[in-house]
Amino acid sequence: MELRQLRIFVEVAKHKSITKAAESMHISQPALSKAIMALEEELGMILIIRTNKTSDLTDAGKVVLEYALKMNVLQDEMKRTLNDMTNLTRGQVTIGLPPFIGSLFFPKVMAKFHHAYPNIELNITEYGGARVVKSIEEGEFELGVAVLPIDEQQFQVYPIVEEEMKLLVYKHHRLASRSKVDLKELKDEEFIFYHEEFALNKIMRNYFIEAGFEPKILFKSSQWDLMTEMVAENLGITILPQSICNRAIKKDIKIIDLKQTILWSLVVITKRDRYTSNATRTFIDFILKESL
């Protein structure tokens, strides 16, 4: 059994497609299929059910995937450790970044970091906050950016941003003249809400439930600019962090304080029991120094 075979298998499982996996790994489809068949032959089990449209895992395939992910993480850790031992100036940082956060804070920080450390590559993947946390746990990324609360027994947490959530309504909304609004007053409103894979979805739902109601959700999005545009068209209301509100200042939107103090706390996280490369530690130190 070769580690390359396991990496190919993980990629097929990720994409649920031999064709897409081959494109992602920049190898031919026949070569990829041959590697999977060789792995199945060695293990004496069928790992993937192949159809015209998808490639799903068998029960045996799910077991192999679990161990393959662990082996891939260990191999990556070994490479990073050896790389650090040679004191090379080159390195790579794998980052999971929610789209909400990436567009707000990170372009300038990443540009500064690149100028300061031009030989360290930043490999960024955009996922929702909840998926970022899961991907850090599984070893897909070395570090990620997430929203508190986070299980600090599993993750090392580095606070970077904390700001209040604000209510956004249409300029002629019944609450537009108010300077402060209680969440209970929003019971009958229709919300432009966050997609389920974003941490804010669960966080704000919990606040609404504590206020005595389940929010009426008209539309879900992962793009803050679309959410604010819909509010400007009087399609519903939304609640967003202060930094997003600062970018969403439009003549058709009123930004209102909430009586409840709801904090949006951003943190950088790494897995506690996993090796952190010099490149990643350097990037974390740089972020903290820049004080997003």
Side-chain angles (χ1 to χ4, degrees):
M1 185 186 304
E2 298 178 2
L3 287 172
R4 179 174 177 274
Q5 291 175 317
L6 293 177
R7 286 194 176 273
I8 288 173
F9 175 73
V10 168
E11 199 69 15
V12 173
K14 176 182 176 181
H15 291 283
K16 293 186 177 182
S17 166
I18 289 177
T19 301
K20 291 181 180 179
E23 292 174 354
S24 174
M25 300 189 76
H26 305 290
I27 60 177
S28 69
Q29 188 171 329
L32 186 145
S33 296
K34 184 178 179 181
I36 294 296
M37 286 189 289
L39 181 62
E40 290 177 324
E41 183 177 346
E42 182 175 351
L43 295 175
M45 292 184 174
I46 299 298
L47 305 179
I48 296 174
I49 302 171
R50 301 161 178 81
T51 66
N52 289 333
K53 293 184 178 180
T54 187
S55 298
D56 294 318
L57 299 184
T58 63
D59 289 342
K62 293 175 182 178
V63 172
V64 172
L65 177 62
E66 180 181 349
Y67 283 94
L69 288 169
K70 293 178 181 178
M71 293 170 73
N72 285 345
V73 168
L74 288 174
Q75 185 185 25
D76 289 341
E77 286 186 13
M78 179 187 70
K79 289 180 178 179
R80 288 194 295 268
T81 304
L82 292 172
N83 184 67
D84 286 350
M85 288 177 64
T86 61
N87 293 317
L88 294 177
T89 57
R90 295 183 179 275
Q92 184 183 75
V93 184
T94 56
I95 307 169
L97 191 63
F100 252 48
I101 298 166
S103 61
L104 288 173
F105 303 111
F106 276 79
K108 288 184 179 179
V109 171
M110 289 175 178
K112 289 181 180 179
F113 183 82
H114 178 67
H115 288 305
Y117 302 94
N119 292 323
I120 296 181
E121 178 185 350
L122 300 179
N123 189 351
I124 303 164
T125 302
E126 284 193 326
Y127 284 160
R131 188 175 174 188
V132 166
V133 174
K134 183 174 177 60
S135 296
I136 295 291
E137 183 178 0
E138 293 177 347
E140 183 177 354
F141 309 126
E142 274 197 90
L143 69 84
V145 178
V147 180
L148 291 181
I150 293 290
D151 182 358
E152 296 192 28
Q153 290 187 338
Q154 288 196 65
F155 302 98
Q156 183 68 48
V157 174
Y158 306 90
I160 53 175
V161 173
E162 185 175 81
E163 55 188 48
E164 290 189 20
M165 302 289 288
K166 304 289 183 178
L167 173 66
L168 284 76
V169 303
Y170 180 59
K171 65 179 180 180
H172 295 313
H173 189 275
R174 65 181 180 87
L175 298 172
S177 61
R178 299 275 295 278
S179 60
K180 190 169 288 190
V181 171
D182 193 297
L183 284 181
K184 294 179 181 179
E185 300 178 72
L186 306 179
K187 180 178 180 180
D188 297 323
E189 297 293 332
E190 291 185 323
F191 284 86
I192 312 299
F193 217 61
Y194 334 93
H195 196 275
E196 284 90 345
E197 68 176 17
F198 288 86
L200 277 176
N201 181 290
K202 184 177 181 180
I203 291 170
M204 289 309 305
R205 274 183 179 273
N206 288 340
Y207 274 105
F208 291 132
I209 290 170
E210 286 180 10
F213 67 97
E214 182 75 26
K216 298 177 182 177
I217 298 173
L218 177 68
F219 181 80
K220 296 177 186 176
S221 176
S222 60
Q223 303 296 326
W224 63 263
D225 51 346
L226 177 58
M227 296 172 73
T228 57
E229 288 291 344
M230 294 186 76
V231 172
E233 294 298 326
N234 198 25
L235 291 174
I237 67 172
T238 194
I239 295 176
L240 291 170
Q242 179 67 63
S243 56
I244 294 179
C245 295
N246 293 342
R247 294 192 177 195
I249 296 175
K250 301 175 185 294
K251 61 181 180 181
D252 293 333
I253 289 180
K254 178 69 184 299
I255 299 171
I256 306 171
D257 291 339
L258 293 168
K259 285 187 177 180
Q260 294 87 345
T261 300
I262 303 176
L263 295 178
W264 189 58
S265 302
L266 295 184
V267 293
V268 169
I269 61 171
T270 58
K271 193 75 165 63
R272 277 195 179 274
D273 60 356
R274 192 168 296 141
Y275 176 78
T276 303
S277 69
N278 278 339
T280 296
R281 288 195 297 270
T282 299
F283 183 65
I284 292 172
D285 290 341
F286 188 87
I287 294 175
L288 298 178
K289 184 179 178 181
E290 286 294 313
S291 299
L292 294 177

